[in-house]
Amino acid sequence: MSSGGAESTDDGVAPAYAVVESPELGRHWVAARDIAAGEVLLEERPLVVGPKAGSPPVCLTCYAPSAGYRCSACGWPVCGPQCEEAPVHRDAECPLIGGHYDSRRSAAYCFVMPLRCMLLLHRWDGRQAAEFRSLQSHLDDRLDTPLYRAYAVNVAAFVLDRLGLRSSGHGHDHRSALEAAAVLDTNAFEVRRPGGRKFRALYPRVSMMAHCCTPNTKHVFVGDETDGQPAIRVVAAVPIIRGCPITATYTQTLWCTRDRRRHLLTTKCFECTCARCVDPAELGTHLGSVACSGGSGGQCVGGRATATGRWLCSTCGRLATDVEAAHALQAVGELTKTRDCAGFERFLERVCDGTMPPLHADHHVTVGVKYALTQLYADRISDLSTKQLENNTDICEQLLRLADVLEPGITRFRGLLLYYLVRGLRQLKRMKYRQNNDEMIKNYTREAVVILKTEPDLVYLVEQLQ
């Protein structure tokens, strides 16, 4: 996404990555040496931070949900005097936006982060300004979309004419305003912090990593919990051999290929052609597959329809439609609202016995139900029956096998699954379960602790395992 060089070190250790360019990936990271799983590749402070485009009312400094306090200078939500005086707000948009706050507008915050970029561009040092200008925007691909037609009014016209930037003397115009919004949409990370805070941050060097739907790194956010300026830490999830691309994911690994590619094309303006995306079976996981009801007798034995633009059975060649999965998707939506263990269990039973067509145990909707059920079980661990605890063990082990393909190594998904699995096995032991699982519990606990210690917001779970 941007240009740059290898991260220098002060301790004599060779840089972990170098930035290279290729026709397929553009500028991207490659391993400059062999990298061990768990190694920190980079920590980077944000270049700019701000609320999400569709943000509800939040503090403009720390992004906590609005509690009703307003900035005495501009009238926009902040947490209190300390946030009101913070430079990130006071020295940026505050002098310009007084009298323009309207909590009823769903797009009330969409201009704030682009505005900050436009203002800061003339205050950043040469390196920072060059980093921002080097980031891809894909603006020409976005201009004729409904979102950017709305941005033309709610971002460009608003900051240029209502807030007066057109006459500021810095050369801002309609395109530069939309360019700032497009750079953010292409490169910014969503940050989630305690207390329900959700905002965006721009990390220029991290944004250079190429995308892959089976990434070999993960990232976490570290730093002060209240300053709204977290650093990003990139960690190798698996060993990476020298010369191999270092990759991140810009989407959700538990989505099926069709949904991932649609998301990437819409938000990042490229069509993914990674090994997982070009394989109709998604590396053998069949996360985007449905059970085929074709073939002789109305059931294609062993057949799976894979999403390759259309549902096409790999065994009998039958075409299917999305309508066939609509009822199952609706059922999952209702279960999610109720958080009903019994409902999720019945859903999975119907998938297994074939009465919930056309889903099967590998479909991404089914996987989502399984993961939700492990979390519900964890919340109610002391109240579960032996059968439910056994079910928890089976589901966690199934999902761990999936994680070994899609999110291998030291990843959050695997860490949480191991945590849920250990808690369930320990509860079975307390109930004098007939099997001796001591060695299994010991091994799973050891691996869970290693992973959870790399997740700043999950470290507290380690104490519950020790």
Side-chain angles (χ1 to χ4, degrees):
M1 289 184 186
S2 66
S3 61
E7 177 71 359
S8 60
T9 61
D10 299 322
D11 54 7
V13 177
Y17 73 90
V19 178
V20 300
E21 188 166 4
S22 73
E24 297 80 15
L25 300 176
R27 292 184 180 272
H28 62 285
W29 290 15
V30 297
R33 54 175 171 78
D34 290 346
I35 296 170
E39 185 173 343
V40 175
L41 307 184
L42 175 67
E43 278 194 19
E44 183 180 17
R45 294 282 293 177
L47 188 60
V48 63
V49 181
K52 298 174 64 177
S55 177
V58 295
C59 172
L60 283 174
T61 294
C62 73
Y63 315 106
S66 173
Y69 189 93
R70 301 289 185 85
C71 175
S72 60
C74 68
W76 282 65
V78 289
C79 287
Q82 183 175 357
C83 285
E84 180 177 332
E85 292 300 317
V88 67
H89 168 62
R90 183 195 61 206
D91 297 343
E93 69 275 351
C94 185
L96 303 173
I97 62 177
H100 291 290
Y101 179 64
D102 183 355
S103 61
R104 297 167 297 180
R105 291 180 61 240
S106 60
Y109 285 79
C110 70
F111 75 92
V112 175
M113 203 170 175
L115 172 62
R116 287 182 178 179
C117 292
M118 296 166 74
L119 294 172
L120 289 170
L121 193 56
H122 305 285
R123 303 176 191 173
W124 284 326
D125 62 34
R127 179 187 62 82
Q128 292 172 314
E131 284 180 331
F132 183 80
R133 289 193 172 99
S134 73
L135 296 172
Q136 290 186 351
S137 69
H138 298 290
L139 179 58
D140 290 333
D141 296 323
R142 300 177 183 274
L143 281 175
D144 198 33
T145 64
L147 177 61
Y148 273 73
R149 287 195 291 270
Y151 277 178
V153 176
N154 295 320
V155 176
F158 187 81
V159 301
L160 293 171
D161 301 320
R162 297 283 296 279
L163 302 185
L165 255 66
R166 194 185 300 275
S167 58
S168 65
H170 291 302
H172 293 301
D173 57 17
H174 185 84
R175 185 173 179 88
S176 67
L178 293 180
E179 186 83 25
V183 165
L184 295 169
D185 285 345
T186 301
N187 299 279
F189 287 75
E190 180 180 89
V191 183
R192 298 189 178 198
R193 302 295 269 171
R197 293 182 294 151
K198 298 178 184 179
F199 51 97
R200 294 199 295 174
L202 188 63
Y203 302 94
R205 283 175 287 173
V206 175
S207 71
M208 283 185 280
M209 285 194 294
H211 164 80
C212 180
C213 291
T214 52
N216 55 22
T217 69
K218 70 174 183 178
H219 63 267
V220 296
F221 297 101
V222 296
D224 192 332
E225 292 292 337
T226 60
D227 69 353
Q229 299 281 320
I232 192 170
R233 176 185 293 161
V234 179
V235 181
V238 294
I240 305 173
I241 299 173
R242 179 181 178 180
C244 288
I246 298 175
T247 58
T249 183
Y250 306 159
T251 183
Q252 299 294 322
T253 54
L254 293 185
W255 289 355
C256 67
T257 293
R258 183 185 53 179
D259 292 345
R260 294 193 318 278
R261 297 182 89 178
R262 180 184 296 160
H263 172 78
L264 291 168
L265 188 59
T266 301
T267 62
K268 305 300 181 183
C269 298
F270 73 91
E271 188 160 337
C272 185
T273 57
C274 72
R276 180 182 172 190
C277 281
V278 299
D279 178 8
E282 298 202 36
L283 305 180
T285 65
H286 286 280
L287 211 69
S289 301
V290 296
C292 180
S293 58
S296 61
Q299 181 65 38
C300 177
V301 179
R304 290 172 172 175
T306 53
T308 54
R310 296 179 296 174
W311 299 108
L312 177 65
C313 180
S314 57
T315 301
C316 72
R318 175 181 177 269
L319 287 174
T321 68
D322 290 333
V323 175
E324 294 182 80
H327 294 304
L329 296 173
Q330 184 177 1
V332 172
E334 293 302 318
L335 289 172
T336 303
K337 294 176 185 177
T338 61
R339 292 180 58 80
D340 174 25
C341 275
F344 281 110
E345 290 164 346
R346 285 193 298 272
F347 181 93
L348 293 177
E349 288 171 0
R350 293 181 63 195
V351 170
C352 290
D353 64 22
T355 58
M356 179 59 80
L359 302 187
H360 55 67
D362 300 324
H363 190 271
H364 71 95
V365 172
T366 312
V367 167
V369 171
K370 290 179 180 180
Y371 191 39
L373 190 55
T374 64
Q375 296 170 72
L376 291 176
Y377 281 161
D379 292 340
R380 309 166 192 186
I381 196 74
S382 60
D383 299 324
L384 299 183
S385 66
T386 300
K387 181 179 179 181
Q388 287 176 313
L389 290 167
E390 291 175 328
N391 195 34
N392 179 71
T393 299
D394 290 342
I395 291 174
C396 286
E397 289 179 340
Q398 291 168 25
L399 294 180
L400 281 168
R401 288 192 290 272
L402 177 68
D404 285 341
V405 178
L406 302 183
E407 288 194 30
I410 304 175
T411 60
R412 185 183 184 93
F413 184 42
R414 294 191 76 256
L416 285 170
L417 287 172
L418 289 164
Y419 168 77
Y420 299 146
L421 178 55
V422 168
R423 290 196 67 200
L425 290 172
R426 286 181 175 178
Q427 182 65 13
L428 278 171
K429 182 179 178 180
R430 282 191 285 269
M431 296 170 68
K432 301 187 184 334
Y433 188 57
R434 62 183 179 276
Q435 293 184 7
N436 184 354
N437 292 323
D438 287 351
E439 192 63 27
M440 183 187 301
I441 292 172
K442 180 180 177 181
N443 292 335
Y444 283 145
T445 299
R446 184 186 303 113
E447 186 178 359
V449 168
V450 169
I451 297 175
L452 294 173
K453 282 183 175 179
T454 69
E455 296 282 343
D457 63 323
L458 298 180
V459 171
Y460 73 97
L461 297 178
V462 172
E463 295 181 3
Q464 299 179 28
L465 296 179
Q466 294 177 331

